[in-house]
Amino acid sequence: MLFQTKGSAAILRSAAILAGVILLAAVFLIIKPALAQSEVAAEVPADAPATVSLSNESAAEISSEPVLISEPTESAPTAEELVAEEQPVSAEAQMDSKVTLQDLGASNAKILPNSFFYGFKRFGRAFSEAFTFNPVKKAELKLEHANQELADATKLIAQQPTDSKALEAVAGSLEKFQNKIADLKNLTQDLQKEQAGGDKNVGKFITNVLDQQIKQQKVFELIQGGMIKNMPARFAEEMLGRINDARQATAENTAGVVTDVVKDADSLAGYFDAAMQNQPGSEFKEIKNLEALKRVEQFVPEFAKDAIRQAQDNAFKRFGARMEKMPAGERAQKFEDYVGGMNGDGLRQMEIFDQLENAPELPPEIMDKMETAKDITARKFQNQVEQTSQKFDDNAQARPALGRYFSSVDLGEPDVDKLRVMEEIRKRVKFDDANLNQEMDNQRSKMIDNFQGQFNQTDGQGVSEEFTRFSEQMAQRPDPTTFQLMNAFEDKMKADPKKLEMLGKMRQEVKAQFVEQAQKEPDKFFSRITTNNPEDLAVFNDLKEEFKNNPEQFLVQPPKDNFQPMQPSQPFQPMPMNEFFDQAIQKQTEAITGQLGEIKKPEEFEQFNKKFEGMGQEMKSGVMNTLNQQSQNFQQKFNSKQEFIQDFKMKPPEVGGQGMSGGQASNVMNPPKENFQGQPQQNSFAPKPMMQPQPMNEPKPEIQVNQIKEPMMVQPVNNNMNGGFEKPQISLPEPQPMMNN
């Protein structure tokens, strides 16, 4: 027994000695390096921020990428610091993408994850978490440590994007980051108890974790963009997968934390609101904030989706109020520049613009730019997909990389907003690569198939709740996109009479909503549903024809269950209603013709032309006839614009005011003028016309615009097609860099 006692005492003494050694090691290997890092950071001049950006493979070629993470400075950043060379100059866009180390609560680390000593830093973090017993403080500490892992991984991947061992260390840090955020879910019950006990710090933590989620997603966006450009393909696919997993996991775990702790939709909406308002940034910052919030929305329960919709409505109101305060002569161009300079998820941005288009409190200058914003977003999405396709020659690598671009519309239950986004992209994006077009068509087809389950009937109770909700959502937006989606549903359901019958009820409700909203606020309604897409003009032509053949369908509001047509209380008078369709056709024509006149760049004209190429021959013929009748020979204006763009592209810019073959003025400083008198100016390039206009001796189909009595309704569209080309400040776009395969 005595021997055993002495043995136990010896064990205790040995344990104490070991604990002392560990403590000393922690002091020298963790605390001291941390202090040294603080001293290094303190020695950095205020006007020389420590930035982290992804560099090219060659150390001699330093790229001008947007700032990923930087130490805050007292002086305002210059345009060169804010804007990448190849992007439009929009300081606001770069401001809203920027994240500082201070924003993340992280330090500018000297020891990075590929160092042997980084393990001691992780031990120190785990030690401090283990001996923090207050649930709120423990959660805050875990969030802080997660952000430090993310910041250190970002710095390392920027410094060594081609080093396989460094990238393995980055992958380890991303996994640690995910685990730290996941650990927060284990604390939710304790956080609930603290909140029930009156601890107001729980609410502050919920706001903070949402605030940090927005910032974390911005960091991931910037890393991904740099990797596509600068990282070798053999590394990029693996790292893109790791980063995408981390993005999805942290959004899902953040959603779980906040919805486990806060069960009230109104309170939760307040937290979402506070997190967005806490973000630094420009007058346009709500767009980037909502983009991050929509990533969280995928993973929340239904009550929380109501909270997010409420917070989104509040964000739209703030956005509208900020736009009203901006000078009227500046806000439209600044908004367009912002959209062009903004990075991120094109499909989520398209969803935001589609919803913003329906917001009630936007200045008319911003509303008029919404279609332009959608076009810009579609072009950026197309460029991202094409660059990724070019980077990964190996199809096994390309398919998962490309699939990630559609991930935002390929998750969860059927969603009308996401289905609308896919339709908007389909109408605006036409890839040169047939395989990419097929990939996009397959994605759209899968989404439409996913909605067929909504067309269900209950036994003896009429339609299902899912169909009722789905039908109401479709009827809220009685615009061309909604009618095109119903046409797509019809193509899928031809073999199912019951589903076709239900679709007929939905279509009738949407038609009735079209007329009802046109009657209430015609100017505002047509402003919201008018687009610059020629395919949408065909929708209005079809609606007018349907109205002529069966006007009662547009006046009856069908009930939710078994459909019983209501008899109109007054004799039907088609003329006043018919004017709505004529007005829609005219405004759509004005928008299409106006866009043609405003085109300034070859890529804009290419996108405009492909909208026509994407239509079938019969649809294209009908649309062109309408445009030619409504806008005084649209075909000739198109051909003239086409010739001008080709001439503009073929003449190289000249150096020092001298042409390459002697003395001619540069086409950049003095671009050729367009001729809209019916005959294009002659040059060496003879473009193939988009469609031959009808011969004059053949009768054109009657559009029946003459039924409209008001003179203003039959006036042809009068647009200035010069589009600003006669002004000397037009310049050719910068050539895109070649991709390194």
Side-chain angles (χ1 to χ4, degrees):
M1 180 67 71
L2 182 60
F3 178 79
Q4 291 179 351
T5 302
K6 286 183 179 181
S8 299
I11 291 172
L12 290 174
R13 283 195 301 271
S14 299
I17 293 171
L18 179 60
V21 170
I22 292 174
L23 183 59
L24 288 173
V27 169
F28 283 100
L29 296 177
I30 301 171
I31 300 176
K32 189 174 180 179
L35 293 175
Q37 291 171 27
S38 301
E39 291 171 0
V40 169
E43 291 172 1
V44 177
D47 60 349
T51 62
V52 177
S53 63
L54 293 177
S55 62
N56 288 329
E57 292 180 35
S58 173
E61 299 176 357
I62 304 300
S63 66
S64 178
E65 292 292 324
V67 172
L68 296 186
I69 301 176
S70 70
E71 288 291 340
T73 64
E74 295 179 3
S75 59
T78 65
E80 289 77 10
E81 291 171 333
L82 288 171
V83 185
E85 288 181 310
E86 71 277 5
Q87 290 181 333
V89 177
S90 173
E92 292 85 0
Q94 298 303 315
M95 185 188 307
D96 292 348
S97 296
K98 182 180 176 181
V99 179
T100 68
L101 290 169
Q102 186 178 24
D103 290 336
L104 293 177
S107 63
N108 188 18
K110 187 176 180 181
I111 300 175
L112 296 177
N114 62 335
S115 169
F116 168 79
F117 296 103
Y118 200 82
F120 292 101
K121 296 177 72 172
R122 286 178 175 149
F123 173 81
R125 293 168 192 162
F127 186 85
S128 61
E129 290 171 11
F131 286 90
T132 301
F133 301 104
N134 180 280
V136 180
K137 291 183 179 179
K138 184 187 285 277
E140 290 172 344
L141 200 57
K142 285 181 177 293
L143 181 60
E144 178 185 329
H145 292 161
N147 281 348
Q148 189 65 57
E149 288 278 2
L150 178 60
D152 294 349
T154 303
K155 187 172 183 178
L156 180 57
I157 201 174
Q159 290 181 354
Q160 302 183 51
T162 62
D163 187 300
S164 59
K165 291 185 178 180
L167 294 179
E168 287 178 6
V170 167
S173 268
L174 291 175
E175 185 176 355
K176 295 289 184 183
F177 167 80
Q178 290 176 238
N179 293 340
K180 292 291 183 185
I181 300 298
D183 286 346
L184 297 178
K185 287 202 67 177
N186 299 328
L187 297 171
T188 54
Q189 290 186 351
D190 293 333
L191 292 174
Q192 282 181 309
K193 292 178 182 178
E194 292 292 319
Q195 190 176 44
D199 190 344
K200 296 182 179 180
N201 289 323
V202 176
K204 293 179 181 179
F205 171 73
I206 294 298
T207 300
N208 188 39
V209 78
L210 290 171
D211 170 89
Q212 290 300 311
Q213 170 64 196
I214 294 173
K215 293 178 171 66
Q216 290 160 359
Q217 294 297 341
K218 289 180 181 180
V219 173
F220 283 128
E221 284 172 3
L222 291 165
I223 298 174
Q224 284 183 316
M227 288 173 61
I228 289 294
K229 290 182 180 180
N230 303 314
M231 186 175 287
R234 64 184 185 277
F235 297 143
E237 168 50 25
E238 174 67 21
M239 290 308 301
L240 283 171
R242 296 293 187 103
I243 289 173
N244 189 69
D245 291 345
R247 295 189 75 174
Q248 294 296 96
T250 184
E252 183 174 6
N253 286 314
T254 298
V257 170
V258 297
T259 56
D260 284 351
V261 176
V262 184
K263 298 294 186 181
D264 176 67
D266 290 337
S267 299
L268 193 56
Y271 289 121
F272 286 127
D273 250 349
M276 286 193 289
Q277 292 188 64
N278 284 347
Q279 302 301 311
S282 72
E283 298 93 336
F284 304 101
K285 67 178 183 178
E286 303 296 349
I287 297 174
K288 288 299 297 179
N289 295 342
L290 285 171
E291 184 185 340
L293 199 61
K294 284 188 175 295
R295 191 174 287 272
V296 175
E297 185 181 14
Q298 296 176 147
F299 303 105
V300 299
E302 193 59 40
F303 86 92
K305 290 182 179 179
D306 293 336
I308 289 179
R309 284 190 284 268
Q310 184 179 334
Q312 176 178 278
D313 290 343
N314 293 338
F316 285 162
K317 290 177 182 177
R318 289 193 298 272
F319 179 80
R322 291 193 182 103
M323 294 302 97
E324 288 286 0
K325 293 179 181 179
M326 192 178 292
E330 298 179 5
R331 53 193 173 207
Q333 189 59 51
K334 280 198 167 187
F335 176 65
E336 182 176 345
D337 292 342
Y338 182 86
V339 176
M342 187 170 52
N343 64 354
D345 187 327
L347 296 187
R348 286 190 173 89
Q349 291 169 8
M350 183 69 79
E351 182 179 353
I352 291 168
F353 293 137
D354 188 56
Q355 293 170 340
L356 194 58
E357 197 170 34
N358 210 40
E361 301 174 5
L362 282 182
E365 299 89 351
I366 299 297
M367 184 64 73
D368 291 343
K369 282 291 183 182
M370 209 56 66
E371 282 297 300
T372 302
K374 287 183 177 182
D375 278 344
I376 293 172
T377 302
R379 286 200 300 273
K380 290 195 299 181
F381 173 80
Q382 181 172 345
N383 290 339
Q384 288 175 337
V385 173
E386 289 175 340
Q387 286 176 5
T388 302
S389 179
Q390 292 168 11
K391 189 175 187 72
F392 301 110
D393 291 333
D394 184 354
N395 191 51
Q397 292 179 326
R399 288 191 65 85
L402 292 171
R404 281 190 278 275
Y405 285 109
F406 295 103
S407 63
S408 61
V409 295
D410 195 28
L411 294 173
E413 296 297 320
D415 187 310
V416 172
D417 289 331
K418 290 180 172 54
L419 186 61
R420 286 180 59 88
V421 166
M422 202 64 219
E423 192 68 7
E424 291 283 357
I425 289 292
R426 178 195 67 80
K427 292 188 290 185
R428 297 169 195 272
V429 172
K430 300 292 183 296
F431 296 106
D432 293 330
D433 187 337
N435 291 329
L436 293 179
N437 285 320
Q438 186 62 50
E439 189 77 22
M440 186 169 65
D441 290 343
N442 291 342
Q443 183 67 31
R444 175 177 179 263
S445 182
K446 285 193 301 183
M447 294 183 71
I448 291 173
D449 287 341
N450 198 27
F451 270 85
Q452 290 201 53
Q454 304 293 305
F455 290 85
N456 292 323
Q457 290 181 311
T458 58
D459 295 336
Q461 297 181 1
V463 298
S464 65
E465 291 184 6
E466 291 82 2
F467 176 78
T468 300
R469 182 169 57 251
F470 176 38
S471 185
E472 289 174 348
Q473 289 174 328
M474 295 288 280
Q476 287 172 1
R477 302 285 299 275
D479 59 6
T481 298
T482 296
F483 285 103
Q484 287 155 350
L485 287 172
M486 289 190 294
N487 291 340
F489 288 137
E490 184 175 358
D491 290 341
K492 289 278 188 178
M493 300 173 184
K494 288 179 179 179
D496 194 328
K498 290 185 178 180
K499 289 186 176 181
L500 282 177
E501 181 183 0
M502 297 177 71
L503 180 62
K505 297 175 184 179
M506 176 189 291
R507 190 186 294 274
Q508 188 170 351
E509 185 169 355
V510 175
K511 289 177 180 178
Q513 279 296 314
F514 180 96
V515 173
E516 181 179 338
Q517 294 187 32
Q519 286 177 318
K520 285 182 179 179
E521 296 180 302
D523 291 339
K524 185 178 292 187
F525 174 65
F526 287 120
S527 177
R528 284 202 305 266
I529 69 170
T530 298
T531 73
N532 57 27
N533 200 304
E535 188 176 334
D536 294 348
L537 182 58
V539 173
F540 290 130
N541 282 336
D542 291 343
L543 286 174
K544 181 176 179 177
E545 187 66 22
E546 290 177 23
F547 179 78
K548 178 182 176 181
N549 296 331
N550 192 2
E552 288 79 9
Q553 284 197 355
F554 290 80
L555 298 179
V556 175
Q557 183 70 29
K560 304 302 180 187
D561 295 323
N562 295 324
F563 174 63
Q564 296 292 334
M566 297 170 57
Q567 298 298 323
S569 57
Q570 299 294 332
F572 180 68
Q573 300 178 359
M575 276 295 293
M577 295 296 179
N578 200 43
E579 293 177 2
F580 290 140
F581 301 102
D582 291 324
Q583 187 176 356
I585 289 169
Q586 181 180 352
K587 286 193 172 293
Q588 185 74 13
T589 301
E590 291 174 352
I592 294 169
T593 312
Q595 188 200 17
L596 179 60
E598 293 175 0
I599 287 175
K600 299 180 177 68
K601 301 176 182 178
E603 60 265 28
E604 293 174 353
F605 182 80
E606 182 180 7
Q607 184 185 42
F608 182 83
N609 188 24
K610 284 184 176 181
K611 290 178 182 179
F612 287 90
E613 293 177 357
M615 297 187 293
Q617 189 63 29
E618 182 178 354
M619 180 186 293
K620 185 191 295 185
S621 178
V623 167
M624 285 301 300
N625 286 335
T626 302
L627 289 170
N628 282 326
Q629 291 193 16
Q630 291 277 319
S631 63
Q632 293 184 340
N633 297 320
F634 175 85
Q635 177 69 65
Q636 293 177 355
K637 297 174 182 179
F638 177 92
N639 291 344
S640 183
K641 176 70 76 172
Q642 183 183 45
E643 181 174 350
F644 173 80
I645 288 291
Q646 292 294 342
D647 189 51
F648 189 65
K649 289 169 63 177
M650 293 177 68
K651 290 186 178 180
E654 299 170 8
V655 180
Q658 297 294 321
M660 294 183 67
S661 57
Q664 294 182 349
S666 167
N667 71 306
V668 176
M669 298 305 296
N670 295 287
K673 296 182 180 180
E674 295 177 271
N675 173 13
F676 290 105
Q677 303 304 317
Q679 294 295 331
Q681 293 177 337
Q682 298 298 317
N683 66 6
S684 60
F685 176 77
K688 181 180 178 181
M690 174 179 60
M691 177 187 297
Q692 295 294 335
Q694 287 186 333
M696 296 301 293
N697 59 349
E698 292 186 11
K700 296 181 180 180
E702 187 175 358
I703 305 300
Q704 301 184 10
V705 179
N706 294 331
Q707 294 182 9
I708 306 169
K709 295 183 178 180
E710 292 81 358
M712 61 169 290
M713 297 295 291
V714 295
Q715 293 295 324
V717 179
N718 182 18
N719 284 287
N720 173 18
M721 302 301 294
N722 292 333
F725 277 98
E726 296 181 356
K727 298 182 180 180
Q729 56 266 39
I730 302 301
S731 60
L732 285 172
E734 292 290 335
Q736 295 296 321
M738 297 291 291
M739 300 303 302
N740 294 324
N741 291 324

